[in-house]
């Protein structure tokens, strides 16, 4: 039986290496700084920053959130300072302190993704780029890029042409599609080195006082434990279809046991999103709990557990 | 490492007492050394519903007052309105319960370095942070007048406390069941005109804060208000709690009321844009 | 202000009339009998029976359920006695007692839907037929009928040819699609008179002891309050696209306030599924609560509240 | 209207006492008139986690014993193992708590009309319904022998109770920490062979029930077992709790263990198919 001292907790995503598999989730850690009061950012796998666009953006009107049973809806609308400010201020702050940084980008056009990738490429020290393609495509009736294989692939292809081979490209997909494995395979063919699964699930809450949609943006993204079974299913399906493509898993992870479910389903890394809202110390706690659970199950290395649920009934862990 | 919320910690606090006071619950939490770090205007974020709760987000409450003291350290007083399921759960917790809190959070009220005439205006449970604030202001030699308002008398928290902590106290209720009949904003114009006010500190519903801002605009009176927006995280990581705020150049940013507030300079808030999308950012 | 005595609680779905808008959900009330000990079946809107297939079926292996945060997964696999036994035994039992019956059918082929419709047509007294097209199509790689506009429409078309115009055809859709309004409009064009929204959301739970998928069927359907925001969103989207098509709404309704959300979003009737597992008296309770909430908001008739959240900010309720 | 669960009602019951006994909690609930309707083998479905619980399903527990009695009516005894979050919540509820229950549910043990020699076999908390059953059997003039087994001594519930309610009691633990070293099924073959057993009543893990079925097959001994499958509803409406059961013709149906059980004639259960898909139905 391995112990916390000898256990190998490292992981990698398409060539990028991380001391632990626990990451923040984009949009749930702002630029990282805000969590520094609660834990040492260098002790977790990586900080995935809030999806940034080319220009500064105000985002959607308030109210921007509604709590739902074991979950919440958000409609932030990608508020942010724009990529130039972000790369000049927020990324250096994190890198100077020794944190690993995964930069998440979001665009409204295929071109904007390429522009963002070019700017990210100019900054050294970034571990990977997460391409959030779960945003509305203004050139195509506001249809979300990741909802169609074609537009999903074109957005990723634009990024690959600029930055491919330099740092891993992680394509972040929405679960709100008929066949997530089809979208996954088209973005992998277009040059994604890894996948981030899952973004929020589209939902709505009606305010019973106003009798109108509660959120300023009407619909919002559902996150938190409520959607964990959807995340596990998506990760399992995609890992089953493409076992060699690393997955950054997320969706409702609030404890070590939750993280373990996603890992066994096929995730090489785990992002913690909404759980940090309820517990600012969620990342180090989940990390500790996951390690104990893996050790208790006889694993000596984190990597051995990735996708374990797919192995035949007779195969052993050790 | 960071300068944001630099005193904030997550601790388990024991409920020392939980008393119904009018429409509210006065809840006293043992918080030990944390007490020394809390300032009037800071808030606390509380996990609700227990271990198997479907409520995944913390609830924010203004820190009403801090008492330092006995062997077990300091205590934090909250004034909680039983509103929805989370606050009702909190109000139902008996003495001795252990509560998971994160505090102190957010920006506190600015305290003038020289004695001034301060007017404290509270609406409903918005009076919560004003009692502690009044004590600090008086210790700095300020004159403290207080106006408390609510829809009805049971929603005026602890009028006697108010009397003790302020030089003068006036109460307004919309149904006239306590104090004067009317809104708490009614006397402000004439108080300003009479020169009796240098700074207004306000806490209460957004409509009250906005009304006071309208009254102070064009005057020399400084107005610090504690805003209240729905907060998912309370620590600056979710961007749900934003408010449109103007900088010197007049350009608007959506600032997080949890870390850039809850106390804000009311003259910088673009009240007419709250709940709307400001015009696109030009850059 | 109206009172419980004068309040008009009746509703209709494409010509079928019901004294109240509260129904059971298919698969969450078996054949109805089992709930009769807990409340008077005639006092609710209708009993929607478990989806029945042509032949008797054993269903999926156990375990068939897993509780999840504010929800549950099920993988029953449409166990049932077959349509002949069902129509000869279960339906007469309900009709004799004066309950209104909505029969839910499910097929593995386009033909099976037509065969089922023919048998249902032969029995009089049934209020409506709910066509569950969220089942795997064995003729097309097990792809769920309701996942593609084309197969969804063909299944409904087969039913319409047999039974169209006699009793309302309610097409039940899965939310696991990229664009639910597209599927909705194709089944309406094919002859569906009303829509049932939503079926369960595909999910998975990994058992941390065996480290394998927990359910015998591996994946399962997520239901309960966790999915309510998804149901509200789907109903809102479809009602917005096709305001004249009545919707039987369902998904996570456990109280009157939940039901009201779905009604304001556009539902003309509400099915209560998973909530009956936790509370056998859920139907009459939700019905009572919904009525009080509507009366408290000044409505004098249930129908006035349907889709209210779509009306302009200035329109009033009364 | 229906004959299924015809005595079942939903009521709020008060916890009269909650005591740790070995690895279990013995919980006594005041259930008033409902007591008269509960039979050994029935179970109760309990809502867990309180008002804001994320646990939406009830938990099933065997009714261990019914006491009729004083002014406030009858009481129901449960023996609860703190297993996951729901049962742990129940075990943590103090005396005086109000619990939402539905009972009595499911088929009870069949009671012979003439006196017979009965062997009661319980595994772990499976002993729960056997004490009440023993009392009923003895009142009908039956001889009652009891075997209790568990992995370890702390999981043998109330051995002294067992002694009181049965003519003989033998205890088996797998680690030998109480009673005999070994499995509770060890002595059954020779008891059957010696002709000392007419009917076996069993309750415990599925593997134990199956092992006993293997031992009784080919003998004249009747074996009634109380099965345990994951139940979402407990009242027959969800089809999650099914078990493959053979009819006289040998054809298999997936019966609901909540309403066609939990007590079943063990000889009709297709044990080898539990957790598998039976061959397709031919019709
Ligand atoms: C900085 C700050 C200070 C506050 N101080 C006090 C105080 O001293 N005393 C007091 O009684 N209340 C105070 N509130 C309001 C208090 O946070 C809400 O009443 C409480 O969150 C409601 O939770 P609930 O579960 O009871 O209601 P629900 O309506 O069920 O809550 C649902 C969700 O909406 C959010 N929410 C609902 N109402 C409010 C609101 N008014 N403000 C912010 N979020 C809301 C909740 O946090 C929760 O996430 C304060 C709020 C803020 C932001
Ligand atoms: C007819 C019957 C009688 C029972 N009698 C007793 C008894 O007398 N004493 C006792 O301690 N336990 C008894 N059990 C088992 C008891 O129901 C489970 O231990 C309990 O449901 C676990 O819930 P949890 O939240 O603690 O565990 P979790 O594992 O968190 O539960 C998750 C879900 O799985 C279900 N589940 C988990 N384990 C079981 C199980 N063994 N059987 C059925 N469902 C399960 C739960 O109901 C819940 O829906 C009985 C079960 C049945 C079906
Ligand atoms: C408030 C909020 C903001 C989010 N913003 C982003 C974002 O900017 N980019 C992105 O790719 N995902 C965003 N997400 C999605 C999360 O990164 C994550 O995929 C999702 O919330 C599921 O994980 P969770 O259940 O752990 O939160 C956001 C989620 C929340 C709750
Ligand atoms: C155990 C179970 C069995 C179900 N069986 C069926 C079925 O046979 N046919 C069908 O159309 N829907 C079936 N459903 C889906 C429900 O009818 C309903 O659409 C869904 O559960 C969402 O509603 P709820 O959250 O109120 O349960 C089933 C759901 C559950 C939980
Ligand atoms: S509440 Fe999350 S950023 Fe303010
Ligand atoms: S538990 Fe639902 S049918 Fe048995």
């Amino acid at each position: 039986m391995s112990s916390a001292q000898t256990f190998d907790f490292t992981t990698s995503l398409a060539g990028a290496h991380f001391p632990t598999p626990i990451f923040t989730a984009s949009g749930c850690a702002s630029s990282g700084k805000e969590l520094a009061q609660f834990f040492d950012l260098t002790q977790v796998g990586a900080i995935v920053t809030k999806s940034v666009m080319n220009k500064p953006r105000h985002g959607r009107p308030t109210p921007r959130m509604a709590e739902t049973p074991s979950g919440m809806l958000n409609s932030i609308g990608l508020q942010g300072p724009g990529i130039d400010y972000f790369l000049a201020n927020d990324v250096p702050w994190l890198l100077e302190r020794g944190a690993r940084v995964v930069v998440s980008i979001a665009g409204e056009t295929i071109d904007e993704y390429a522009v963002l990738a070019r700017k990210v490429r100019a900054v050294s020290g970034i571990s990977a780029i997460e391409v959030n393609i779960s945003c509305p495509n203004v050139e195509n009736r506001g249809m979300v890029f990741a909802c169609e294989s074609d537009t999903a692939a074109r957005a990723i292809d634009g990024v690959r042409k600029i930055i491919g081979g330099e740092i891993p490209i992680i394509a972040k997909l929405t679960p709100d599609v008929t066949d997530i494995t089809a979208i996954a395979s088209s973005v992998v063919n277009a040059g994604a080195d890894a996948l981030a699964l899952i973004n929020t699930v589209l939902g709505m809450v009606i305010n019973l006082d106003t009798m109108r949609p509660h959120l300023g943006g009407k619909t919002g993204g559902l996150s938190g434990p409520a959607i964990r079974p959807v995340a596990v299913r998506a990760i399992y399906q995609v890992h089953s279809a493409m076992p060699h493509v690393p997955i950054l898993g997320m969706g409702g992870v609030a404890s070590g046991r939750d993280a373990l479910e996603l890992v066994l389903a096929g995730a090489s890394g785990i992002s913690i999103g909404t759980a940090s809202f309820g517990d600012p110390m969620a990342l180090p706690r989940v990390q500790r709990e996951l390690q104990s659970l893996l050790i208790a199950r006889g694993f000596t290395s984190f990597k051995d557990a990735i996708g374990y649920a797919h192995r035949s009934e007779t195969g052993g862990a050790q | 490492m960071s300068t944001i919320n630099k005193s904030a910690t997550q601790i388990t606090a024991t409920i020392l007492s939980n008393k119904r006071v009018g429409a509210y619950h006065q809840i006293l939490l043992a918080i030990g050394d944390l007490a020394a770090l809390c300032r009037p205007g800071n808030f606390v974020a509380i996990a609700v519903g227990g271990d198997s709760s479907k409520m995944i987000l913390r609830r924010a409450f203004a820190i009403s007052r801090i008492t330092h003291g006995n062997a077990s350290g300091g205590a934090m007083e909250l004034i909680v309105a039983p509103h929805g399921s989370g606050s009702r759960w909190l109000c139902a917790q008996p003495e001795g319960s252990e509560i998971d809190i994160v505090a102190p959070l957010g920006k506190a009220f600015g305290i003038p370095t020289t004695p001034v005439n301060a007017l404290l205006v509270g609406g409903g449970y918005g009076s919560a942070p004003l009692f502690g604030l009044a004590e600090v202001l008086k210790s700095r030699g300020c004159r403290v007048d207080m106006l408390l308002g609510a829809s009805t008398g049971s929603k005026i928290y602890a009028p006697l406390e108010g009397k003790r902590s302020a030089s003068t106290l006036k109460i307004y209720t919309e149904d006239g069941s306590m104090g004067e009949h009317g809104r708490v904003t009614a006397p402000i114009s004439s108080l300003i005109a009479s020169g009796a006010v240098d700074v207004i500190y306000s806490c209460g519903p957004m409509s009250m804060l906005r009304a006071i801002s309208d009254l102070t605009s064009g005057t020399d009176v400084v107005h610090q208000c504690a805003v209240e927006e729905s907060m998912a995280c309370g620590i600056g990581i979710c961007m749900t709690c934003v408010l449109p705020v103007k900088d010197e150049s007049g350009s608007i940013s959506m600032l997080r009321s949890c870390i850039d507030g809850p106390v804000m300079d009311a003259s910088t808030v673009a009240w007419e844009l709250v709940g709307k999308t400001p015009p696109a950012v030009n850059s």
Side-chain angles (χ1 to χ4, degrees), chain B residues 24-280:
Chain B
Y24 305 114
H25 278 246
Q26 181 212 47
I27 298 176
L28 220 63
L29 295 171
I31 57 164
D33 297 340
L34 221 58
L37 305 169
C38 299
R39 304 273 170 272
N42 287 150
F43 68 96
V44 55
I46 302 186
V48 289
D51 283 344
S52 52
S53 178
K54 68 180 171 195
M55 295 180 280
I56 60 167
L57 303 174
R58 287 174 187 264
R59 284 9 185 198
F61 298 96
I63 298 172
S64 167
R65 198 156 23 182
I66 290 294
T67 52
H68 302 280
N70 58 36
S72 65
M76 171 193 280
E77 183 194 85
L78 308 178
I79 300 167
V80 179
H83 168 78
S85 49
S87 50
R88 279 203 304 265
W89 177 89
L90 184 59
C91 290
Q93 295 309 296
E95 197 182 304
S97 308
E98 310 258 87
I99 305 287
D100 173 355
I101 72 169
V102 177
L105 293 172
K107 289 224 157 64
F109 286 109
I111 305 296
T113 44
T114 53
V116 297
N117 293 327
L119 176 66
L120 278 50
V121 188
Y125 57 73
S127 58
L130 302 184
F131 303 123
L133 175 63
E135 283 162 22
V136 173
L137 289 171
K138 286 198 297 184
S139 75
R140 300 287 177 93
C142 296
R143 177 187 162 90
V144 176
D145 297 297
M146 196 182 280
L147 304 173
L148 298 182
S151 55
T152 186
S154 66
K155 295 195 173 168
I156 297 291
Y157 178 75
L160 292 177
E161 299 264 4
K163 256 201 186 118
R164 257 198 305 278
S165 54
S167 314
T168 69
L169 169 71
K170 268 193 131 175
I171 288 170
Y172 292 80
T173 55
E174 289 178 39
D175 66 359
S177 58
M178 187 188 281
E180 312 268 316
H181 198 296
R183 299 219 164 147
V184 71
T185 43
I188 295 181
S189 286
S190 53
L191 284 171
I192 292 178
S194 72
V197 185
D198 301 314
V199 186
I200 295 181
Y201 294 93
S202 70
C203 185
M206 294 293 273
S207 55
M208 180 192 100
L209 308 184
R210 182 175 181 176
I212 300 174
S213 296
D214 290 345
L215 299 175
T216 55
S217 91
T219 74
D220 288 341
V221 174
V222 173
H223 175 202
Q224 295 190 35
C225 62
V227 302
E228 188 182 303
E229 275 287 347
S230 281
M231 295 181 177
C233 75
I235 57 169
I237 59 177
C238 76
M239 311 296 280
T240 60
C241 62
V242 297
L243 215 64
V245 174
K246 293 168 284 196
D247 65 13
E248 301 87 58
S249 74
S251 86
I252 289 172
S253 299
M254 299 298 278
L255 296 191
R256 287 163 283 187
S257 62
C258 64
I259 56 172
D260 294 314
V263 176
M264 290 186 157
D265 175 349
S267 67
T268 66
V269 176
W271 294 102
E272 68 289 358
L273 290 175
V274 171
K276 303 210 174 70
T277 321

Side-chain angles (χ1 to χ4, degrees), chain A residues 34-292:
Chain A
E34 294 81 355
L35 283 172
Q37 166 66 17
F38 297 98
F39 61 89
D40 180 350
L41 303 181
T42 66
Q43 297 298 301
V44 299
I47 304 302
V48 183
T49 54
K50 169 138 192 80
S51 296
V52 66
M53 304 188 75
N54 194 33
K55 298 272 172 69
R57 248 171 96 100
H58 286 317
R60 296 244 181 84
T62 53
R64 290 181 170 185
M65 74 107 178
E67 198 185 44
T68 67
S70 299
M72 67 171 281
L73 288 183
N74 86 80
S75 95
I76 309 298
L78 293 168
Q79 174 178 345
I83 187 84
D84 297 332
Y85 178 94
F86 171 76
L87 291 175
N89 295 274
D90 297 334
V91 170
W93 192 93
L94 289 168
L95 291 177
E96 275 160 25
R97 275 152 192 83
R100 285 146 301 278
V101 180
V102 175
V103 170
S104 171
I105 60 167
E108 286 182 317
T109 63
I110 304 277
D111 268 358
E112 185 171 354
Y113 283 102
V115 169
L116 288 161
R118 185 164 300 119
K119 291 183 176 174
V120 170
R121 184 171 185 254
V123 175
S124 62
I126 292 169
S127 297
I129 186 166
E130 190 177 88
V131 187
N132 174 8
I133 51 174
S134 313
C135 346
N137 179 350
V138 297
E139 293 167 327
N140 181 16
R141 300 165 291 122
M143 175 66 107
V144 170
F145 289 97
C147 277
E148 290 176 354
S149 289
D150 172 45
T151 47
R154 282 171 55 215
I156 296 299
D157 182 59
V159 173
R160 180 198 54 80
K161 285 205 183 99
I162 307 288
I163 210 170
E166 304 205 5
I167 53 173
I169 299 170
I170 308 171
K172 181 155 179 186
L173 305 186
T174 168
D176 289 324
V177 293
T178 307
D179 182 0
I180 197 163
T181 60
I183 309 287
S185 93
S186 68
V187 297
V188 167
N189 290 337
D193 304 297
L195 299 166
L197 301 172
I198 58 177
N199 215 313
T200 54
V201 176
L202 197 66
M204 182 185 272
V205 161
I206 309 278
N207 181 315
L208 296 189
D209 296 326
T210 65
M211 301 202 280
R212 298 285 181 282
H214 178 74
L215 296 176
K218 288 195 179 177
T219 59
L222 182 62
S223 63
I227 66 165
R228 195 170 63 236
V230 179
V232 172
R233 182 265 297 171
I235 293 165
Y236 189 92
Q237 286 179 325
V238 171
H239 186 71
S240 180
M242 291 181 289
H244 299 298
V245 178
I247 295 171
L248 179 58
M250 65 207 68
V253 173
S255 69
R257 73 153 300 293
D258 304 343
L260 181 54
E261 260 198 89
L262 273 66
V263 170
L264 296 172
S268 295
I270 298 292
S271 275
I272 313 281
T274 307
S276 290
F277 302 169
D279 176 6
M281 243 95 86
L283 269 90
R285 178 176 52 76
V286 172
Q287 186 162 296
R288 232 171 23 242
E289 292 168 353
L290 175 61
Q291 186 175 357
S292 312

